[in-house]
Amino acid sequence: MAVLTEWIDAGRPLVECPGAEPTSGSVLDVPCDIAIPAAMEGTLTEETAVAMTARLVVEGANGPTTPAAEAVLHAHDIPVVPDLVANVGGVISSYFEWVQNHQRLAWTETRERTEVLERLDVVWSVISDRQPDDWRTHALTAAISHVLDAMRAGGMAVAASGRS
């Protein structure tokens, strides 16, 4: 690992590092247990999904998996942890920072981590008892329900269909 770090720190191309094995196609085609598309929207396409060997996909970016790719993954029994669940920790942490700023507080790193992890457990519990094919739909349904509840609590009129 030290050789690799030194190689990269020297600004050399990773593909030229001694012992490197270049791959053709997508890095998502490389055999692995868990694939984490975390760069950009639409990275994981139907074509990429067909070639994947991962046993689990965890969306680290917003919308990295196309609907067609997700259908292929589900057909191959590869669960997809949706972005709404997988990368919500940063949003939760940002909210807690906002709360602290408004209340002129400064939590310890341990407290911040504990608070975030507790919320992440709650988020995971929303989908964990569902079939993986239903994770995205259930996460979106729960999120929309929470937004509607907040709107109602704030005094906004929200019609039964979800439109006001």
Side-chain angles (χ1 to χ4, degrees), residues 9-27:
D9 287 347
R12 297 182 186 128
L14 181 60
V15 72
E16 294 174 8
C17 183
E21 297 178 26
T23 183
S24 61
S26 172
V27 70

Side-chain angles (χ1 to χ4, degrees), residues 7 10-11 28-29 34 45 65-66 68 91-92 94 100 131 154:
W7 189 269
L28 295 170
D29 296 346
I34 301 171
T45 64
T65 308
T66 66
V91 175
I92 293 169
S94 293
Q100 291 171 71
Q131 291 297 317

Side-chain angles (χ1 to χ4, degrees), residues 63-122:
T65 308
T66 66
E70 188 162 5
V72 168
L73 295 170
H74 287 217
H76 290 106
D77 293 323
I78 300 172
V80 178
V81 179
D83 53 357
L84 191 62
V85 173
N87 67 31
V88 72
V91 175
I92 293 169
S93 185
S94 293
Y95 168 74
F96 285 142
E97 290 173 10
W98 177 84
V99 166
Q100 291 171 71
N101 287 337
H102 277 70
Q103 295 178 356
R104 301 192 189 283
L105 298 172
W107 294 351
T108 64
E109 183 179 339
T110 301
R111 178 170 179 198
E112 172 95 14
R113 181 174 286 127
T114 300
E115 295 284 348
V116 170
L117 290 174
E118 285 177 4
R119 293 334 183 274
L120 289 174
D121 283 342
V122 171

Side-chain angles (χ1 to χ4, degrees), residues 5 20 66 104 125 152:
T5 303
T66 66
R104 301 192 189 283
S125 72
R152 287 185 193 102

Side-chain angles (χ1 to χ4, degrees), residues 132-149:
D133 292 4
D134 295 330
W135 285 352
R136 184 176 311 280
T137 301
H138 196 67
L140 286 169
T141 301
I144 292 167
S145 177
H146 286 297
V147 169
L148 291 172
D149 289 347

Side-chain angles (χ1 to χ4, degrees), residues 27-82:
V27 70
L28 295 170
D29 296 346
V30 174
C32 63
D33 292 326
I34 301 171
I36 306 174
M40 56 190 252
E41 186 175 350
T43 299
L44 186 48
T45 64
E46 183 175 9
E47 296 77 25
T48 308
V50 168
M52 286 188 73
T53 61
R55 297 184 338 202
L56 175 69
V57 173
V58 180
E59 295 184 332
N62 294 330
T65 308
T66 66
E70 188 162 5
V72 168
L73 295 170
H74 287 217
H76 290 106
D77 293 323
I78 300 172
V80 178
V81 179

